[in-house]
Amino acid sequence: MSVDALLSRLEAASDSLVEPAVLQPLDPFVELAGEEFRKRLFATEGADGAALCLRPDFTIPVCLSHLNSHLQRPPGEPVIYRYKGTIFRKHRTVGSPEFEQAGTEWIGHQDETTTDAAIFALAMDCAGAVGLSPVVRIGDAHIFDALVAGLQLPAAWHGRLTAAFGDPARLEAAVARLSAKDKSNGLASRLAPALAQVDAESARAIVDAVVGLSSQQVTSRSADEIAEHILEQAADNGPDPAAAAVIKRFGSIQAPVNRAVDALGTFANEVGVDLSDALENFARRADAMTTHGIDTAAMGFEAAFGRRLSYYTGFVFEMGDPAKPGAEVIAGGRYDKLIALLKDGVSIPAVGFSVWLDRLPGQGTP
Amino acid sequence: MSELVLAVPSKGRLQEHALDFLTRSGLKVERARGGRDYLGRVTGLEKVRVAFLSASEIAGELVQGNAHLGLTGLDLLHEAVDDAIDREARIHVMAPLGFAFADVVVAVPERWIDVDTMRDLADVAERHRARYGRTLRVATKFVHLTRRFFADAGVADYRIVESVGATEGAPAAGASDLIVDITTTGSTLVANQLKILSDGLILSSQAQFVASRIASWDEGSRKLAAIVADRVAAEMRARAVLELRAVVDEPQTAAAAARELFGATTPFGAEHLPLTLHVVRRQASACASWLRERGAPAVVVTQVADVYEESALTSELLAKIA
């Protein structure tokens, strides 16, 4: 019964039902989620040899179907989809490899914080419909991005750190690398002292000459790309233990959502990094959540909480069953980069959440 | 009738080495229909059935329990079962065989002069995705080894392109950006303008003598396995040691001191003269000089053919297939 209540909430809140095929093209998942995720896919082949997999997720198929159906409507026009169906993943720690999910994807809504708050309120409503008073974790990658930008690190570090956000082991390794001198014996470290003596233009000329000396082998990476990378490596020679300590300290910040802005503001003042734009947005979202009747004092903000997938860009949340810690029942987040990755030149903001129907209270799976 | 299946490589140099090794171990393989026969028997051990398979098939049959014993490469065993605990539950690696040495390595185009380490590769992978919106492609047949090594090295933005043969040609053909492949001397990589990353060694492999723990073991097949293991151990021990004989005063004290100094063993005890010692090859000369200094009028050093004795190889095997 409770599942029906949840589904009718989703139905009432959405514009249309989308039913992506169970067999999906394999490539988008591997390209976007990486080789690690591939281990969890049930991969197969079409009669024409095309690489396929059993649907492991709804977000990517819903976005693909949105892009395919946009001939009827402009792709940026806001639309709210809902879905329900089976998904398939190997090596689940909890539950069967074949399980049911329902959820919603909001594509094309421009006002970020208002949309975040509205979809979060719908998720809370769904939790309520199934009798769940969830434990809630909230994260916001924009704050981490602002921190990295504010630390004035060499350019190479921006990508390294933002790519590692949301993956605790990877971020820890990146921070360890930042705090200790890189023992690299590579070409760039040997060129660095010479490059430091000349201006940027001459440095580039030197590196171009060095790149030109190597074989004329054709590879997937251009001479330009290699030269740029060497210059970046050469500029990135010293450790920055102070910045590493700041990132580590940031990662340990946890507070109820209504107190998070204060905690982060104090932190920003102490470490001397300007996070005000990101915090203003966070506060605006928290206020909008309050307008939806949500008690933000009961929601936990965790500064280090993010998704491993690089197309997630901002707000993320998880709702768990207090009786079964460790496996989220509802999980959602903003993925503004995904659609551009699926189709060149089309950039559309999007946010969504999924409900693990096999983990609902009273559904029986341990 | 219980039988024991021994899987032996069916091709090339690996087969030659494997058959040499078995012959030296007193396990001569006979094939009724000559060199092209895919089944054989071990002379004098009628119940041992020899199956000639490719090295990767052998790894597969051992982890599935379809063969009891086999000779194959460590790289292929790691590839056949990714998880270390699962692998240990399925197979028991009895001994390295000292041939078919090869390294599984990460190699990139020589032209990538900005990439020397796995860290550099992680940076390039992430930049490549940011720049072109697609991941680096790694051609390999070692899917599991690659995934594990790359994950440990923090390289996430890549995808594997499975390659069954001539992996080293994949980057030049545009089928991949880099490779993970097996190499012995590195000359094939150099010929294809590829270089090994300075910390790109994934696994140092050689041929191994392996038992399947989940094969259908019964009393008969266990007994056969013990016979085979004993012969292998006897051959390995004989290759590893030299035998030293000398007449010395207080042989028991001398034996204890030789054990301490040279790791010498006394296969026949120390009560009788001449004292017989087994010493690893590189210590044998030193031990002989030492015996002379202790007053031995003569020290005779012999290469022995086989040493049958209580062997850890056999007892460990029996424990693992109990």
Side-chain angles (χ1 to χ4, degrees):
Chain A
M1 283 301 108
S2 60
V3 175
D4 291 341
L6 182 151
L7 295 175
S8 63
R9 297 285 206 293
L10 287 176
E11 187 175 350
S14 60
D15 304 318
S16 73
L17 175 70
V18 59
E19 297 179 288
V22 169
L23 274 177
Q24 289 286 321
L26 177 94
D27 270 5
F29 295 99
V30 178
E31 281 290 337
L32 294 167
E35 193 60 36
E36 278 302 299
F37 188 64
R38 187 192 227 167
K39 289 202 290 202
R40 306 177 59 187
L41 300 179
F42 287 93
T44 183
E45 227 172 53
D48 57 355
L52 302 171
C53 65
L54 297 183
R55 186 172 61 204
D57 161 61
F58 272 102
T59 305
I60 289 173
V62 169
C63 288
L64 285 171
S65 125
H66 176 79
L67 286 168
N68 289 334
S69 66
H70 85 250
L71 294 176
Q72 290 99 47
R73 74 163 82 77
E77 186 180 297
V79 55
I80 297 178
Y81 294 105
R82 72 178 184 281
Y83 58 81
K84 176 185 172 292
T86 309
I87 67 174
F88 304 84
R89 285 189 198 175
K90 291 180 189 170
H91 311 301
R92 282 182 92 204
T93 46
V94 179
S96 139
E98 172 180 349
F99 56 104
E100 294 286 301
Q101 268 193 351
T104 182
E105 308 293 348
W106 298 26
I107 298 176
H109 299 72
Q110 293 298 333
D111 186 338
E112 178 168 342
T113 50
T114 312
T115 310
D116 288 349
I119 196 168
F120 181 80
L122 175 60
M124 285 298 284
D125 197 21
C126 287
V130 295
L132 179 68
S133 311
V135 183
V136 182
R137 297 167 75 201
I138 282 173
D140 185 348
H142 291 318
I143 303 174
F144 186 76
D145 293 345
L147 177 70
V148 170
L151 282 172
Q152 297 179 339
L153 293 164
W157 279 100
H158 290 237
R160 274 177 208 151
L161 290 166
T162 49
F165 183 67
D167 183 337
R170 203 171 158 194
L171 187 61
E172 197 181 316
V175 169
R177 181 177 173 186
L178 179 60
S179 63
K181 173 108 182 112
D182 200 335
K183 288 191 280 295
S184 167
N185 197 23
L187 179 66
S189 63
R190 277 174 274 143
L191 282 177
L195 296 178
Q197 307 284 321
V198 298
D199 62 22
E201 203 176 317
S202 315
R204 175 64 196 242
I206 292 170
V207 171
D208 278 346
V210 173
V211 174
L213 285 176
S214 70
S215 68
Q216 289 309 303
Q217 180 184 16
V218 177
T219 87
S220 52
R221 298 176 61 233
S222 66
D224 266 359
E225 187 183 348
I226 293 168
E228 277 167 29
H229 189 215
I230 288 179
L231 285 169
E232 206 180 278
Q233 288 174 317
D236 170 31
N237 48 3
D240 193 339
V246 167
I247 294 168
K248 221 169 175 175
R249 190 175 151 198
F250 174 79
S252 67
I253 296 174
Q254 299 191 359
V257 167
N258 63 334
R259 307 256 308 275
V261 171
D262 283 350
L264 290 162
T266 309
F267 162 81
N269 277 337
E270 283 175 18
V271 301
V273 174
D274 179 16
L275 299 178
S276 53
D277 287 353
L279 293 186
E280 212 170 283
N281 278 327
F282 188 92
R284 203 176 302 134
R285 185 196 302 120
D287 288 346
M289 282 157 76
T290 311
T291 319
H292 283 282
I294 288 160
D295 175 14
T296 52
M299 315 280 133
F301 166 77
E302 294 177 20
F305 175 36
R307 295 250 178 271
R308 286 160 202 264
L309 300 167
S310 63
Y311 51 82
Y312 280 89
T313 51
F315 180 54
V316 289
F317 61 91
E318 266 176 21
M319 301 178 178
D321 184 343
K324 293 180 212 158
E328 69 273 19
V329 178
I330 299 178
R334 173 164 290 279
Y335 51 92
D336 287 356
K337 281 194 201 153
L338 177 58
I339 288 178
L341 288 168
L342 292 172
K343 193 177 170 89
D344 266 351
V346 183
S347 178
I348 307 174
V351 58
F353 70 79
S354 301
V355 186
W356 274 256
L357 296 177
D358 64 337
R359 293 180 184 166
L360 293 180
Q363 288 301 300
T365 15
Chain B
M1 278 285 129
S2 66
E3 281 199 331
L4 180 115
V5 178
L6 170 65
V8 175
S10 60
K11 273 181 288 195
R13 302 255 301 149
L14 188 58
Q15 179 183 42
E16 265 173 54
H17 282 299
L19 290 177
D20 272 358
F21 167 79
L22 290 170
T23 307
R24 286 199 310 269
S25 305
L27 299 162
K28 188 164 166 41
V29 177
E30 295 168 10
R31 283 185 275 189
R33 284 169 295 169
R36 303 219 166 177
D37 200 343
Y38 283 94
L39 284 176
R41 298 274 169 190
V42 171
T43 312
L45 291 174
E46 274 161 35
K47 299 272 175 60
V48 176
R49 193 151 62 84
V50 177
F52 288 93
L53 298 167
S54 79
S56 59
E57 284 170 333
I58 294 173
E61 298 296 343
L62 289 167
V63 303
Q64 294 303 324
N66 298 327
H68 294 85
L69 301 175
L71 284 71
T72 189
L74 189 63
D75 54 329
L76 299 169
L77 293 165
H78 278 251
E79 192 52 34
V81 187
D82 180 36
D83 181 66
I85 294 167
D86 188 21
R87 194 164 55 240
E88 263 173 49
R90 288 168 181 271
I91 56 169
H92 169 54
V93 178
M94 293 158 68
L97 298 176
F99 57 86
F101 288 98
D103 292 338
V104 181
V105 298
V106 183
V108 304
E110 274 169 6
R111 191 175 168 75
W112 293 13
I113 56 177
D114 54 334
V115 182
D116 180 49
T117 63
M118 287 301 286
R119 276 183 172 176
D120 295 335
L121 182 61
D123 288 344
V124 163
E126 175 208 303
R127 292 165 61 95
H128 198 77
R129 187 208 280 274
R131 195 174 176 124
Y132 302 110
R134 66 170 193 79
T135 51
L136 284 183
R137 293 156 305 150
V138 182
T140 188
K141 64 171 178 168
F142 299 101
V143 174
H144 290 146
L145 284 169
T146 302
R147 281 179 184 157
R148 188 166 288 272
F149 190 74
F150 277 43
D152 289 347
V155 182
D157 296 316
Y158 76 101
R159 62 175 299 184
I160 288 173
V161 186
E162 276 194 67
S163 146
V164 272
T167 305
E168 64 280 348
S176 79
D177 301 298
L178 64 150
I179 67 168
V180 167
D181 202 10
I182 196 138
T183 178
T184 43
T185 60
S187 57
T188 318
L189 296 178
V190 171
N192 284 280
Q193 294 184 287
L194 298 169
K195 61 171 181 183
I196 300 171
L197 296 187
S198 59
D199 56 354
L201 174 64
I202 298 181
L203 182 76
S204 280
S205 177
Q206 60 169 303
Q208 304 278 345
F209 191 33
V210 187
S212 172
R213 299 183 63 185
I214 57 166
S216 58
W217 291 106
D218 58 20
E219 206 183 324
S221 52
R222 271 193 208 97
K223 219 172 253 174
L224 286 169
I227 292 171
V228 170
D230 251 4
R231 290 190 187 178
V232 167
E235 149 69 10
M236 288 187 145
R237 185 68 184 153
R239 289 211 132 204
V241 298
L242 290 172
E243 184 167 290
L244 280 70
R245 277 177 297 157
V247 174
V248 289
D249 293 336
E250 297 175 40
Q252 306 225 0
T253 323
R259 172 178 295 275
E260 184 76 15
L261 291 168
F262 307 104
T265 59
T266 48
F268 309 124
E271 293 84 28
H272 309 289
L273 286 173
L275 176 65
T276 303
L277 297 174
H278 282 179
V279 180
V280 293
R281 280 166 178 272
R282 60 188 165 75
Q283 294 268 39
S285 312
C287 185
S289 303
W290 176 80
L291 286 165
R292 289 277 292 134
E293 276 167 33
R294 281 189 58 107
V299 180
V300 177
V301 182
T302 330
Q303 159 74 64
V304 290
D306 284 307
V307 181
Y308 284 92
E309 60 188 3
E310 269 307 304
S311 87
L313 193 88
T314 309
S315 56
E316 276 169 22
L317 168 65
L318 290 175
K320 295 282 186 184
I321 59 174

